[in-house]
Structures are given as structure tokens and as C-alpha cells.
Amino acid sequence: MLYFSRWKTIGVWAVVLLGLLFAAPNLFSQSVLDKLPDWLPKKQMTLGLDLQGGSHILLKIDQNDLIKDRLNTSRDEIRTLLRDAKIGYTGLSGSGRVVQVRIRDTNQVDAAKEALKSLTAPVSSGLFSGGSVTEMTLDEPEPGLLRFTMTDAGIQYRTSTALAQSIEVVGRRVNELGTTEPIVQRQGNDRILVQVPGLQDPKRLKDILGQTAKLTFQMVDSSMPVQDAINGRPPAGSTVMYSKDDPPVPYLIENRVIVSGENLVDAQATFDSRTNEPVVSFRFDGKGATRFGQATQQNVGKLFAIILDNHVISAPQIREPILGGTGQISGNFTPQSANDLAVLLRAGALPATLTVIEERTVGPGLGQDSIQAGKMSAIVGSVLVVAFMVGAYGFLGWLANLALLANVAMIVAVLSLVGATLTLPGIAGIVLTMGMAVDSNVLIYERIREERRDGRSVLQAFDLGFQRALATILDSNITTLIAAAVLFFLGSGPVRGFAVTLAVGILTTIFTAFTLTRWLSAEWLRRRRPKEVPKGYFRLVPEITSIPFMRVRLQVFIVSILLCVASVGLLATKGLNFGIDFTGGTLIEVRAKSGTADVGDIRQRLSAAGVGETQVQGFGDKSDALIRIGAVTDTGEGEGDAVVKKAQDSLASDYDIRRTELVGPTVSGELAWAAIMGVLAAMGGILIYVWVRFEWQFAIGSIVATINDITLTLGFLVVTQLQFDLSTVAAILTIVGYSLNDTVVIYDRVRENLRRFKKMPLGQLLDLSDNEMLARTTMTSVTTFLALLSLFLLGGEVIRSFVASMLFGVFIGTFSSIFIAAPVLILFHLRPTTQKEMVEQERAAHQLPAK
């Protein structure tokens, strides 16, 4: 086990050096990297939005818009087709998903059906089986009444088509902003995910994405004064529209569209040569130029309106025909608003309204603070773990620390190579990995000491220590890996980043423990030929203990059950302090531009702005405050975005907006369901693994201990009223993995002792196993606790509830592994516990008659 061939040695160090080489670019600025030779790696980890600032926005396409547009189009088609066929009709109307028309002469019904058959003809589509879909069906509920109904497949087809068009338009709009590496991708059947890192003005992004940008040029109706149309009824074929001025100016607009935005080929923000005001210059294609030229030629002296999303931007007078296919739009623009309108027009109109149903925005200032907090907590955590390992194991601790350094470098290298995004919880994952990485070394070193106590030589002790710790390390880490996999597939955003770093850390830990640490130990043994295993400067647990854990198992069970019942009772009565991830609503973190944050003043401003159901509290530093706004109504996903705008506008003069999170009611329900499924999936996966690797009693025992840990952790969260959000779910899943890691280590020793001591009563055997693993369990818990403690104290407010949950989980997981998981095996009769039971079992096995 300690022999390394030359090629193995080269392979081990090649991997380690490559890890250091590919991790190194993260230590330098981009300007320094640009000066290095091209053959050197230069790829750095991608920082998440919570570290570099930016916006994560989830948009939902308004299906009702699509249905309404389709009904209007169908109604116009029916009108045109029946008129062309000279078929009289009446009662043409549409509502919901239905358009109906009554044919006046019942003898013409068949002719009408023939004329309208194009509405029910299959539409070619590769998205559905058969390559086509029927958008509308026709039925005749009574003679002469034709009813066209939109099908579910038709609506799905329209939604899918509109979503594809919207992604293209949104992508063009975001790219026009000049941001680096934006992400625009489809999510589900009716959503678009937009992530723009490093964006300095998230509000501008939302304004650009939230506009449909349907541009039309229409004539102003001068047949009657607009005020008369408002007070009475507008003439047929005309509609009253308003400008975006304050106060809005009304216009009477003809419904007929002269030219639409579809005919635009270019739009640029420029300045008017006469007034020097910002304007938008536009250029039509050939068809648009012809239609616009004809309209202006026929209506010289009249007003025409430039309309964007049913609002009049301007209504200039046609002084002379505009025949060149170019023109300009003016209307109290600023340079930025003119540029934004040009961006919208160049990108094209959206086929339907997009509503913001989830938003997570982080200002660059908070991102920089998070990076500093993450760096400091990582440095302090590393120092604590390094110092502890040296103190506990002396020279062997230095070997473990070298392996730990290589481990962290390899994690950073892998994250850089695969292009993974590093988030603040991801930094927490690295720090946690440092605490858990030494667990493998602790297992090996404690096993070496144990073999040495049993009389093996130093060389034999090292060889057997590495050999016999292998299975235990694999079993314990695979359980945590299962939890990380569930987090990745069911999580989102920062939670997924945490899962990636945790999973990568587990894999690199296994590598360094069984290659680098083993090579370093073998080389030291070969060169120094020591007479004794190095000792540390202190021991948390004596070398040999004989604590009667099983003697108090019933008392511990009772206390644990009572605490679990109390936790469930608190959950039912007091309840968790759910974050907006599960309740919906808005969270805004602000920092006073000068002085301290005045909570009372913030409340007063929000109330004056009409923002209801508001909670304001101090947060972290005295200059910071956290605002929580209640969820919008179930009927309006888009209301939350308007609430955020009101709140931000009311505070912008004296406060910097550092972070905004908005979660609509639809998303919050989905996140809650995903969280429940995540915990169940993790427990199910681990149960199957333990069952396969051990026996069913071990699997049931591990699940009992895990349920105990989850219940008590939830009770802790109720008592402390720490916020329960997606990051807390990640913490619970990690606790599940960590607790089972601990449990599996003890179970592995129980299984080994079952083979060694075939006639030892189970209670005595479990006591022996717990005592043999007590030093390892204690050491691992302390190193993990130290790493988490640095995160709790220095990692910042954003992840404090996440880390606090894990600190409690480390404590309760260690407790349950010893006092719950092991004693449960007695309950399930893994082996007879008394001499009488053993004799009866042996007699039954040999079919001996009872005396």
C-alpha cells in the first residue's frame, strides 16, 4: 500500500502541479495575465452575481396576451374571409378561447365553413407528433352559429413559438447594452432566464426587458375634439390614447396602422441638428418606406402619432412628404432614454408581454464586500484548521496540511477549467471542504495509531492504516456526494454553486488522501525510518476510552424523542421564519449614503410611496437596513416589479440599493415543492446506498438518525427564528450528508467488529465501536466546527443563517451518530444482545433440542 512506482509518483505530482498551475491565474489581475505567454493557463473562475454584482431575472411570457392576440387575429380573418366570399353574418365576437359568428342565411353555412376552413387547418410544427398541430376546432352548437375554439395544443404551440421569438429579442436587447457574457436561456415551457453579471444599472435592464416595444405609426383623428371623445364616445375606428408626459396628454388616434416597427431596419440615438435635443433616427425597409411616403404625401398638414406600446411618444405635423424612408422621433428624451428606445427598436418587438416573476439583483458594492468577507473567512478558517492539525498530530499534521493546500488548489483549478460559477455559498462550500477534508487524514492517522497500539511495527501500522481506512473513507464521502448531487439537480443559482464546490471538494479530498498524503508518508518512512508514530501536542480524547454509551441509550432515546416532539410542536404553533423564497415578496438591502440607516424614516418613506406590508430592520452594519415587503396578490405576478420600483425611487436620494430579491407567488410555490423533494430524494438515495453497502438494519438506523437531525435542526430554526430560505435547505441537505458521513464511519467499524468478535453481545460490541471511533468523530467535528465558525463570524450577514444552521447540524449530527444511530441497531436485533439469546440462536442454527 505504501509502495509507489516511478510512474505512479510522476502521475501523482503531475496532477498536483497541474492543479497549482491552473489555480494560479486566480491570484493575479487580468492585466497581469495578459502579459504572460499564451501557452500558460489564464482562465479564472467565473464570479457569481452575488460576488461581482449584476442581475438574475426570470421572465414569464403572458399567455393571456397570446390568446387575446390570436382571438383578435381570428376575428379579423373571419370578417375578411366572409366579406370576400360575400356571405352575410352577424354577432362576430370573441371571449376566453372562443370566437363565434352567426351566418344570417342558413343556406350559406356550408359555404361559410368552406371559406373559413383555413382557421382549422393544421399548422406545420416540428414540436408536436406528426409535425403539425390544429390550433382551432369548429363546432356548430345551433344551426347557423359557428364557434371556433382554441385548442390546448394550439395554445402550447403559440406559447412555444412566442417564447423562441422572445428569447431572440431579449438576447438582442441585452447584447445591445454592451455587457460581458450575459446568459439568456429558456427555462421550462413559458419562461426566460436572464443573467447579466457586472451590470451597474439593473433598473435599466428591467425597463428594457419589460417593454413589449410594439411601435406603430398612425394618423391622429381630427374629426372631433379629443375631450369630446373622452366625455362621450370616440368615432368608429378611433381610440383615445395618452402620452407618457406628466400629466398625460390625450390624443384621438385612428386604429389603422400606417407602418409598424416590423418595417424598421435601423434605429440610432442622435441629436437634433436644430435644437440639439436627443432624438432617435430611424430607417425603414423598402416596403415601409413606400407606405410611409404615400401616407405622408396624402396627409400633408395633418398630425400623425408615433406610438410605442399604446402610448403616444410624439405627434408631429406632416409639413411635407417624407419619401426617403428615414425620419426621427423626438419626445423629451435624455441621452440614455433615447439610446434605450433605439435599442428596443433595433432588437424588435416582443410577441407578448414578459412579466418579471423572480429577480435577484446585487449591487457591485455588496459584491465586493462579499468577496472580502469570503476571503477573510477562508484565510481564518484555513489558519484554524492548519493549527489544529499540527497541534493534534505534529509532523503528520504538516503532511495533512500540505495535502489540504493541494486539495484547495485542485478545487479552484477544476472550477476554473469547467467554467463553474463561484458564488458566496460556493466559498462557503470550499471552507466547509477544508474542515471536512482533514476527516480522511484523521481517519487514516487514528487507524495508524490504533494499529500501532495493537503491536504492529511503524511501517506495518502505516500500511494497514491506509489500507483499512480506504473503504470507510469511500463510504462516508459517497453519502455526502449524494446530498451534493441532489442539491445540484434540484437547486438553483447560489445553492447550485455550493453543491458544485462541495462535490468537487469531496472528489479532490479522496484523491489527496489516498495519493498525495500516502506518497508523502511513504517517502518520509523511507528516508527517516522512524521508530515511533509522531505524536501531537494535545489530545482531545484519550487513546483508549471505555465509555458505556449503550447503558444510557434508553434515557437518550427518551430525551431525543421529547426534543423532536417539542420541535414538531413548535413547527405547528410558532412556525418557521420563512424567507421570500417560500412566501413570495420582495427583499431590499440598503446602505445609507452617509450616517446610520434610520429605520423609522425608511418606513415613513415607503408608506408615503404606497408600499404596504413592510418590515424594516437593522442589518449587519449600522448604516445598513433590510426591507421586507409582503407578497403580491395571486392575481398579479407583475405587481411585485412595480412595488420594487416605488420602494427604490422613494429611497434612492439617501440610500444605495445593495441587493434586491423579488420572488412571485408562482415561483415561491415551486421552490417550496423543490425543497421538499430535495430532502426526500437525498434521504432516499442515501438509504439505498447504505442498504446495498451494509444491511437493512444499518439503512433504517441511518435514516432514523437523519430524521432526528432534521427535526431538531428545524426546531433550532424555530427557536432562533433564523430566516428559512433556499440556502437553509442547502444547509439541511449538507447536514444530512455530514451526519450520515459520521454515521457510516461508525457503522463501518461496527461491521468490522461483527466479523472480528462473533460471540460478543451487540451492546458491548457497539460500545467498543463507538469508543474506537470517538477520537476520529471528535477531531473531525472540531475541524469542521472551526472552519464554519470563521464563516459565521466573518462571512457576512447574507450567509449567517446558512452557517448557523450548519454549526448546529455538526453538533447534533455528531451526537446522533453516537447516541442514536448505533443503539438503533439493538432495537432491530442486528445480533442477540444477551448470552441467553446467543445460546438460543446457536442452538437454532445447529437444530439442537432445548434442555
Side-chain angles (χ1 to χ4, degrees), residues 274-285:
R274 293 167 298 175
T275 63
N276 206 33
E277 292 180 347
V279 295
V280 177
S281 298
F282 60 84
R283 181 163 54 88
F284 289 119
D285 60 14

Side-chain angles (χ1 to χ4, degrees), residues 267-278:
Q268 298 291 336
T270 59
F271 291 90
D272 191 303
S273 58
R274 293 167 298 175
T275 63
N276 206 33
E277 292 180 347

Side-chain angles (χ1 to χ4, degrees), residues 296-313:
T296 55
Q297 200 168 22
Q298 294 167 5
N299 294 281
V300 172
K302 295 182 180 180
L303 301 178
F304 78 97
I306 302 170
I307 299 166
L308 182 71
D309 292 342
N310 295 322
H311 285 92
V312 178
I313 296 177

Side-chain angles (χ1 to χ4, degrees), residues 231-285:
N231 296 333
R233 174 184 286 185
S238 295
T239 305
V240 176
M241 294 185 184
Y242 292 85
S243 72
K244 287 190 174 182
D245 298 315
D246 189 16
V249 178
Y251 293 90
L252 185 60
I253 306 296
E254 293 181 8
N255 293 342
R256 182 174 59 90
V257 174
I258 300 171
V259 190
S260 71
E262 294 176 1
N263 300 115
L264 279 179
V265 293
D266 190 26
Q268 298 291 336
T270 59
F271 291 90
D272 191 303
S273 58
R274 293 167 298 175
T275 63
N276 206 33
E277 292 180 347
V279 295
V280 177
S281 298
F282 60 84
R283 181 163 54 88
F284 289 119
D285 60 14

Side-chain angles (χ1 to χ4, degrees), residues 733-773:
L733 280 171
T734 309
I735 289 167
V736 168
Y738 179 85
S739 172
L740 281 161
N741 179 307
D742 228 8
T743 300
V744 166
V745 167
I746 293 174
Y747 278 177
D748 206 73
R749 181 52 63 93
V750 170
R751 183 173 59 176
E752 183 181 332
N753 285 335
L754 282 169
R755 291 193 292 262
R756 288 175 60 194
F757 308 106
K758 296 190 176 179
K759 294 190 177 182
M760 182 183 288
L762 184 57
Q764 186 179 337
L765 185 140
L766 293 175
D767 269 341
L768 175 65
S769 301
D770 272 347
N771 279 285
E772 286 177 341
M773 301 310 296

Side-chain angles (χ1 to χ4, degrees), residues 91-221:
L92 177 59
S93 62
S95 62
R97 296 185 179 188
V98 176
V99 178
Q100 63 181 26
V101 63
R102 186 177 295 277
I103 306 303
R104 286 175 179 163
D105 185 354
T106 54
N107 293 325
Q108 290 188 304
V109 169
D110 289 338
K113 289 180 180 179
E114 180 64 25
L116 300 176
K117 68 179 181 180
S118 60
L119 274 73
T120 57
V123 179
S124 175
S125 168
L127 300 175
F128 298 87
S129 58
S132 63
V133 59
T134 301
E135 284 196 80
M136 305 192 91
T137 57
L138 169 64
D139 64 293
E140 189 178 357
E142 58 184 79
L145 181 64
L146 303 182
R147 180 175 293 166
F148 296 87
T149 305
M150 289 190 70
T151 64
D152 290 338
I155 293 172
Q156 186 181 349
Y157 164 71
R158 284 278 164 181
T159 304
S160 181
T161 304
L163 192 64
Q165 294 173 358
S166 298
I167 290 171
E168 187 177 341
V169 172
V170 168
R172 287 200 295 264
R173 290 184 184 181
V174 173
N175 288 329
E176 289 275 4
L177 293 176
T179 55
T180 56
E181 298 182 3
I183 296 172
V184 179
Q185 61 187 30
R186 179 180 186 141
Q187 190 168 90
N189 295 322
D190 58 355
R191 297 177 189 180
I192 302 171
L193 174 65
V194 180
Q195 289 186 336
V196 187
L199 185 67
Q200 299 295 317
D201 189 0
K203 182 176 176 295
R204 184 183 174 207
L205 173 66
K206 283 199 301 177
D207 289 343
I208 287 176
L209 295 182
Q211 295 189 53
T212 308
K214 288 185 177 178
L215 180 74
T216 56
F217 294 79
Q218 298 170 228
M219 295 304 300
V220 175
D221 189 344

